[in-house]
Amino acid sequence: MDIVESKQISEPIKSEAQISHLALDIGGSLIKLVYFSTNSDSSASSSSKDSVAVSSGNEGRPVLEGKLHFAKFETAKINDCIDFIRSKQLRLSGFQKHGAPAGEKCTIKATGGGAYKYADLFKEKLGICLDKEDEMDCLVAGSNFLLKAVHTEAFTYMDGQKEFVQIDHDDLYPYMLVNIGSGVSMIKVDGPGKFERVSGTNVGGGTFWGLGRLLTKCKSFDELLELSHRGNNRVIDMLVGDIYGGMDYTKIGLSSTTIASSFGKAISDNKELEDYKPEDISRSLLRMISNNIGQISYLNALRFGLKRIFFAGFFIRGHAYTMDTIAVAVHFWSKGEAKAMFLKHEGFLGALGSFMSYEKHGFLNLKVHQLVQQSPVDASRGGDKIHDPPNGELNENQSIDCSICLS
Amino acid sequence: MDIVESKQISEPIKSEAQISHLALDIGGSLIKLVYFSTNSDSSASSSSKDSVAVSSGNEGRPVLEGKLHFAKFETAKINDCIDFIRSKQLRLSGFQKHGAPAGEKCTIKATGGGAYKYADLFKEKLGICLDKEDEMDCLVAGSNFLLKAVHTEAFTYMDGQKEFVQIDHDDLYPYMLVNIGSGVSMIKVDGPGKFERVSGTNVGGGTFWGLGRLLTKCKSFDELLELSHRGNNRVIDMLVGDIYGGMDYTKIGLSSTTIASSFGKAISDNKELEDYKPEDISRSLLRMISNNIGQISYLNALRFGLKRIFFAGFFIRGHAYTMDTIAVAVHFWSKGEAKAMFLKHEGFLGALGSFMSYEKHGFLNLKVHQLVQQSPVDASRGGDKIHDPPNGELNENQSIDCSICLS
């Protein structure tokens, strides 16, 4: 996320928005936020205004109509995140622990390693306690929630074609969840709260961005990703044809254009780093890492007989080449047996799971409106546009219409 | 291999050595040679001299006593290899095809993609035809030969301890062979000539050397490897503790020192490439790639229930940290169920298999003396010292005592 985007996100979504029930996922590279807003500045007990319907829910408890919103910040710029939360003038009522006197102790749900690392900072700067939730619990809760509640959440991507997949709620489990953040977690999900982290790899989004930054001097992850769009990996990768004099190695099914060795051409070219185009470096790196994740994910899915692999995490960013490489890797290694799928809210599984733990602990009930409103965002204002993928298509408005019932 | 080593290898092993039956493996990064030498300048039919015993074998065919020698060159410096072969004044008798008039057509066995790519160059410069053998066939033949014929070939490496493994010839198969060259091949071996290339990865030795060269400006693979010896990967890798504020993530068994994201720390440090020590970069890169290969190898061994995984190829070079990382990866991911083993002649499987194809085609019979002579090499001369691993222990003299029976 570059500075311009960060500013956009820091703007209030609507000037009169009322924010409550914010939850965090503080990872190694990024902080992800999920929060609920109504379009009214009225409290839960006041009358409805604008499009916000406040009605009586079960047992007469107030129901708020509104949206779930998503935002992200670089972990290295955590103060921007703190300023954002402060600027939202959070209604604290929803965050107080049961039985605690008003204004005494404000807590917000948080997951990821940063919930531990930055607990003191949140206390000091905002007077907020971070109520820690387990990272894997949250990823799985977020994933299960999205796959069940949001109609157009999961999709396949092949040959540039995105296709939404309708999930049969009775046939969701088991599946493999691959969350690609700075590192990668691979989780076998067997049901609500039933899962096992079966594998992972330390070659993930942090590797792409860390190595990419050193090799190209790019200033942001998105800039590096954008560069890859125009690059040609064959400039640096050693292909089968480079070794075999342009021929295929047909006996074992490797065509001349198969990558034999990522970055392998750099060993014999009499070129320095500066002689390579950043575009080509970015492309090779993205392909190497995406393909590697696809391969290890498939091998783990195979162990447990899982045919469906959902890829999430902020490494992907709805980026066509990333998804295409992952999908092709899964297809190639599984000989078409397994299928890669992607999630529209890819980066927010942990934060959503963290948000949902309010529900788990009896603070609220969340009811998502089945059809996600794909309302156009006013581009001049930025709004809750989270990132700007090169293909411009995905994630333009990820907010989710829902109602919450305060308990 | 740097220039100094290249010169060392180009020196004749002994001035009076008689070379015959040379075979090649021309890969993407390196050319590997295996050749037989006697210590006499006498031909097979002449009387024995020095330590070379020439006797009558089966059916009165001449038997030559001598050694198998190994050498390597960078593929990018293929002319050095051609000069080396020319300087050896190869006795051509052993290379002629059956029935061809003497001096008419000289062929040598060759495998690897370069056997196709450089066929014309060998014809033009040396008048030699490269008789192509399949790369996987040769790797497996070389591996089977070494594991059966050489007593101290396979060893485990753990916590800095090398331990030779005695292979029961009746219990060798099946096993997994992982050959790490520029790219990586993973082969399930079920018996002599019975095998399947089940997987591979394009993140291999070419990736280490290619990326390492771009990141550190090192002039040779061995220099890069040597650097890694003094490096600290924690300077650049993002550890679990970096995310969790120094804590372990105990619930899923990740200690604070586990690498969460290779090169992940480079995303938030305000450092340029020049601000990192090449030693640390090399260490992180070596660990990332070795660990990744270990993980993918184990996952593939698991698919086929293979407990023994032999790692070979010139990426390893008897390097302690590489072997340790691979062994730890296999141990970690298999929860101690599978075992990584290494081969003393790691880089020469393909070349050996190529050499043995003379036998397959009825040109000679090879009989290895069971005990490998670990004769000291005169360091001042270089001799057949192939490479100079940082620990100085392995591969000091890889030559194999044997006799060949010309048929």
Side-chain angles (χ1 to χ4, degrees), chain B residues 27-48:
Chain B
S29 309
L30 294 171
I31 305 174
K32 284 76 66 175
L33 278 81
V34 174
Y35 57 93
F36 177 82
S37 81
T38 68
N39 296 320
S40 154
D41 61 355
S42 60
S43 72
S45 55
S46 71
S47 63
S48 71

Side-chain angles (χ1 to χ4, degrees), chain A residues 93-157:
Chain A
S93 59
F95 302 100
Q96 287 175 316
K97 289 216 166 175
H98 267 307
E104 190 179 84
K105 194 176 182 188
C106 171
T107 63
I108 57 178
K109 291 287 183 187
T111 190
Y116 297 84
K117 185 172 181 178
Y118 298 109
D120 290 346
L121 188 73
F122 274 79
K123 186 77 194 156
E124 180 197 325
K125 296 240 178 180
L126 292 170
I128 287 174
C129 284
L130 298 184
D131 199 11
K132 298 165 196 72
E133 292 289 325
D134 177 74
E135 191 175 338
M136 297 300 133
D137 283 346
C138 287
L139 284 174
V140 171
S143 171
N144 285 343
F145 166 78
L146 287 168
L147 288 170
K148 285 185 173 170
V150 181
H151 207 58
T152 53
E153 184 61 37
F155 58 92
T156 57
Y157 197 91

Side-chain angles (χ1 to χ4, degrees), chain B residues 177-392:
Chain B
L177 173 64
V178 179
N179 194 67
I180 316 174
S182 306
V184 184
S185 284
M186 296 169 188
I187 309 167
K188 178 167 83 87
V189 183
D190 291 311
K194 277 183 66 182
F195 66 88
E196 186 189 356
R197 185 188 189 273
V198 292
S199 198
T201 163
N202 49 304
V203 186
T207 312
F208 176 62
W209 177 209
L211 269 177
R213 197 175 158 273
L214 295 180
L215 288 163
T216 68
K217 300 190 192 302
C218 268
K219 295 292 176 219
S220 78
F221 187 104
D222 287 330
E223 187 189 339
L224 183 65
L225 208 54
E226 173 65 28
L227 273 182
S228 76
H229 209 53
R230 306 191 300 272
N232 178 4
N233 74 297
R234 296 182 188 184
V235 175
I236 310 178
D237 290 343
M238 184 189 284
L239 309 183
V240 167
D242 292 326
I243 303 175
Y244 273 75
M247 295 171 65
D248 298 337
Y249 183 5
T250 40
K251 193 174 168 186
I252 55 172
L254 298 179
S255 79
S256 65
T257 56
T258 303
I259 300 173
S261 178
S262 287
F263 288 89
K265 227 175 245 169
I267 71 172
S268 51
D269 286 348
N270 281 323
K271 288 184 184 175
E272 303 295 316
L273 178 56
E274 300 70 37
D275 300 324
Y276 289 101
K277 285 192 205 165
E279 293 90 319
D280 299 336
I281 289 174
S282 173
R283 184 91 165 186
S284 290
L285 200 55
L286 184 60
R287 178 127 171 193
M288 176 180 92
I289 292 172
S290 302
N291 182 65
N292 193 62
I293 292 171
Q295 182 180 14
I296 296 176
S297 300
Y298 161 67
L299 286 167
N300 277 293
L302 185 69
R303 287 169 66 185
F304 303 104
L306 309 174
K307 303 274 187 212
R308 288 186 299 191
I309 313 176
F310 294 101
F311 290 88
F314 250 124
F315 169 70
I316 302 173
R317 300 187 188 210
H319 189 256
Y321 191 65
T322 307
M323 293 192 294
D324 206 59
T325 306
I326 290 174
V328 166
V330 169
H331 185 84
F332 174 82
W333 290 109
S334 74
K335 298 190 171 84
E337 288 283 307
K339 201 163 228 174
M341 283 182 270
F342 304 92
L343 300 181
K344 193 165 67 178
H345 296 88
E346 53 183 23
F348 293 101
L349 271 55
L352 262 169
S354 176
F355 187 92
M356 293 175 68
S357 67
Y358 288 116
E359 190 171 37
K360 189 173 77 180
H361 295 289
F363 288 113
L364 56 81
N365 286 311
L366 182 68
K367 186 165 182 269
V368 168
H369 301 187
Q370 277 296 312
L371 279 172
V372 176
Q373 188 185 346
Q374 294 284 347
S375 60
V377 167
D378 181 355
S380 62
R381 292 187 62 248
D384 53 352
K385 192 173 175 186
I386 292 155
H387 43 75
D388 198 14
N391 64 12

